[in-house]
Each structure stands twice: as structure tokens, then as C-alpha cells.
Amino acid sequence: MTTYDERASLSDLTDTADRVRRSVERVIEGKPEAVRLSLTVLLAEGHLLIEDVPGVGKTMLAKALARSIDCTVRRIQFTPDLLPSDVTGVSIYDQQRKDFEFKPGAIFAQIVIGDEINRASPKTQSALLESMEERQVTIDGHTYRLPDPFMVVATQNPVEMEGTYPLPEAQRDRFMARISIGYPSPEAELEMLDVHGGSSPVSPLDDLQPVAHADDVAKLIEAVRSVHVADTVRRYAVDLVTATRNHPELRLGASPRATLQLLRAAKATAALAGREYALPDDVQSLAVPVLAHRLLPTAQAQLNRRTAEQIVLEILRHTPVPEAAAQAWREPYGRSSDRGL
């Protein structure tokens, strides 16, 4: 049975998330889906990869999300000469104390913005692996915990761009979702020129103030964890991921980590909609952003110009959706009268 406190938490979640969404949309206009997915990943305790061509607002979206929350924020500008120690930190010998002192790197923040992550060498990219998965950093045999909540928002240009290194499979798998912002509509672009194209242009980030605290986000994450996922919805997610491993046009399917993150994102989507239970629709809406970047098409599929996104959409069309009465998705909560609704 759902308690009063749980219902209040979900109500607080939708109110707080709506404030953050409106704050980000003051900067990123006309892209509500990108903003919604960013919030979903944040509340699902994941990491976000924003991939698109230069100049469409990738870094602006990451900064707007970070500035809308009163938390510690660090930015890492990934370049070919960036070292792993610049990211994680380094132990420096203190001659006065005659001992090594740890100097934390840029990864020690609650929201870390990794700008143009695929311009760094694979060695430096791999420095993020432990921190993104285990939320800790190990240096010289000592383990240092990262703050809560912790989220990496990375941007990258398409691999066809000059001077980029493709992210290793293990690195891509640690990002819960990949989104693309795309070009703005002509109307949104004209409005951008009116607002920011004057004689004294002002950055839209300058007036952005925090609308939520890091402690509030931590409580909202706890509320998302309490969202119920029925066995049939779990099976549906597993069926989708299994289909990627057996698809003839894929040489690498989605990992078990992908299944876990797909369900976590579905729970966050349900909570943002004010529901205490996840639906198959939540899983469907997240399949492409959560699964596609983990998949590797075969050489023949690439010759046929088949993308991972197209293959995921095909899998969605051919995977049976569980059929049940709406009441079945929220079985643990009993009848409506039992829940006080």
C-alpha cells in the first residue's frame, strides 16, 4: 500500500522537476524532449551523453541543467593533451609533512560537464570508467568516494568530425542515454536572434538561478527508487534487450547494464508523470536513447546505411507488448480505495 509520505514525495518530485524544466527551457528553447530526457537521466542516477554537430547548444544544455540546481559543478574541457590525472586527481609529495597529499581532480563534483569528450585520447576517456560506474576514484591504492548525487553530462561531436576519437564500448555503455538536440526551428532561431543578437549580446545563462538544491534532488531520487515495476514490464524490457543480442544486423547487442538502466529510466519517467508504477509505454519511449548508442551494426548493415536507431525501432515493432489491465501495473498498491485515492 502506498503511504501518504510516498505520495507526497512524488508530488514534490513533479513540482521540483517542473521548476528545473522551466529553468532549462529558458535557455534551450523549442527542445522539450531533450530537456525531459536530461531530467529523466538525472533522477534515474545515470549519466548523459549529448551528441550533435557543433553550435546547436550541447554545452549550453549541460550548463543550464547544472546551473538550475544548487550543487557543486565542474567543467572538463577534453583536449588531446588532457591527462587522466587532470580528471581524477593526483597524489603530490608534501615536503613539510613528508607524506603524499591527494589533490582531487575535476571529477569531484556533483555535476561534471565533460565538454567534447571524444576529443581526448582513449586513455583519458577511460579515466572516467570507475567514477561513472562505482562513483568513486582509486588513486595509489586509496579509494575516494564521489559526492551524492553524482552525474556526468558529456558532449561530443559526431565521429566524422576532424580531431575526434570514438568512445570505447565500455565508456559508451556507462552512459544511461544519448540524446541529440538538432537544429532549432526557423521560428526559434529568429527568436534567438532577437534576444541574443543585439549590439550587446548577453548569455542566457547569466540570469539563470538555482531552482532546486542538491539535497532536494537526492530526495527525489529516493522517490524514483520506490516506483513499482510489474513483472510483465520487466520481462518486456528483457525481451527488447535480448532481441538486440540476436539481431542479424548487430555485431554487439546491449549489455545487462543496459537492461538495468532502461528500467531505472522507465521508473524516473513514470515518476515525472506522477505515477507510482511504470508502464510498457515508459520502456518504449526510452528504448532508442537508452539502447542505440550501445549497439554496433555489422559491416553489411553499415553498407546498407542502417543505423542503430533504425534497428531499435524495428525491434520495438516486432517485440510483443505485454497486455494487461491498467490495474495490473500497480498490483502491489491494491485497489484505489486502499491507496486513499
Side-chain angles (χ1 to χ4, degrees):
M1 181 183 297
T2 303
T3 66
Y4 174 80
D5 290 338
E6 287 174 330
R7 291 201 305 272
S9 295
L10 284 177
S11 175
D12 293 341
L13 185 150
T14 53
D15 292 342
T16 304
D18 195 51
R19 291 200 305 271
V20 175
R21 177 188 58 78
R22 290 197 302 268
S23 176
V24 176
E25 287 182 347
R26 289 175 54 193
V27 177
I28 306 296
E29 300 175 358
K31 299 295 178 181
E33 184 64 15
V35 176
R36 183 188 68 83
L37 282 171
S38 301
L39 281 174
T40 299
V41 173
L42 172 65
L43 297 181
E45 303 175 84
H47 307 290
L48 181 66
L49 180 62
I50 309 173
E51 178 181 300
D52 218 321
V53 296
V56 296
K58 301 186 300 295
T59 306
M60 192 74 74
L61 173 58
K63 284 184 174 181
L65 179 63
R67 288 202 182 188
S68 298
I69 301 170
D70 186 12
C71 62
T72 56
V73 180
R74 298 288 293 273
R75 174 179 173 176
I76 307 173
Q77 185 65 51
F78 283 83
T79 56
D81 59 348
L82 188 73
L83 298 176
S85 58
D86 297 329
V87 177
T88 58
V90 64
S91 294
I92 300 177
Y93 186 73
D94 189 331
Q95 293 185 347
Q96 292 183 342
R97 297 172 51 200
K98 298 187 183 301
D99 196 5
F100 284 93
E101 180 182 1
F102 177 65
K103 298 292 185 181
I107 197 67
F108 284 84
Q110 290 170 312
I111 294 184
V112 178
I113 302 173
D115 201 18
E116 296 187 320
I117 187 173
N118 60 339
R119 291 201 181 277
S121 66
K123 181 179 180 180
T124 302
Q125 293 173 3
S126 298
L128 292 170
L129 292 178
E130 181 186 12
S131 58
M132 291 177 67
E133 179 64 20
E134 303 177 39
R135 299 173 187 269
Q136 65 182 30
V137 171
T138 302
I139 303 291
D140 297 333
H142 296 279
T143 299
Y144 304 91
R145 295 292 303 175
L146 295 173
D148 287 323
F150 174 71
M151 179 184 186
V152 174
V153 183
T155 70
Q156 74 168 6
N157 296 317
V159 292
E160 294 83 5
M161 293 289 177
E162 185 176 353
T164 59
Y165 301 84
L167 289 180
E169 288 81 0
Q171 183 73 58
R172 291 202 309 269
D173 197 43
R174 280 164 170 77
F175 285 101
M176 175 173 283
R178 180 186 65 182
I179 65 173
S180 177
I181 297 179
Y183 291 111
S185 65
E187 293 76 15
E189 198 160 0
L190 281 172
E191 185 175 352
M192 178 192 70
L193 293 176
D194 292 338
V195 176
H196 309 296
S199 57
S200 56
V202 178
S203 171
L205 291 169
D206 292 344
D207 297 330
L208 214 57
Q209 298 295 326
V211 295
H213 194 272
D215 292 339
D216 299 328
V217 175
K219 293 176 182 177
L220 300 183
I221 289 173
E222 287 294 330
V224 169
R225 290 174 181 171
S226 68
V227 172
H228 171 65
V229 182
D231 290 341
T232 50
V233 179
R234 294 172 186 265
R235 169 57 63 181
Y236 180 54
V238 170
D239 289 344
L240 289 175
V241 174
T242 302
T244 67
R245 301 167 189 163
N246 300 325
H247 199 282
E249 292 184 293
L250 293 175
R251 58 188 175 94
L252 179 66
S255 66
R257 182 189 288 119
T259 313
L260 180 62
Q261 294 190 345
L262 181 59
L263 279 184
R264 285 178 177 172
K267 292 169 72 171
T269 299
L272 287 171
R275 282 185 276 108
E276 303 156 342
Y277 52 91
L279 296 172
D281 290 350
D282 300 324
V283 176
Q284 283 183 325
S285 67
L286 293 160
V288 171
V290 173
L291 299 181
H293 66 286
R294 310 168 193 267
L295 310 179
L296 290 181
T298 62
Q300 186 60 46
Q302 292 176 340
L303 286 174
N304 295 334
R305 298 187 177 182
R306 291 271 285 168
T307 64
E309 288 81 1
Q310 291 172 336
I311 295 173
V312 172
L313 290 174
E314 178 185 293
I315 290 173
L316 283 172
R317 289 194 299 268
H318 290 89
T319 303
V321 180
E323 296 181 2
Q327 189 70 23
W329 310 128
R330 49 180 185 265
E331 283 175 353
Y333 301 111
R335 297 187 301 272
S336 297
S337 58
D338 295 333
R339 291 158 46 224
L341 297 179

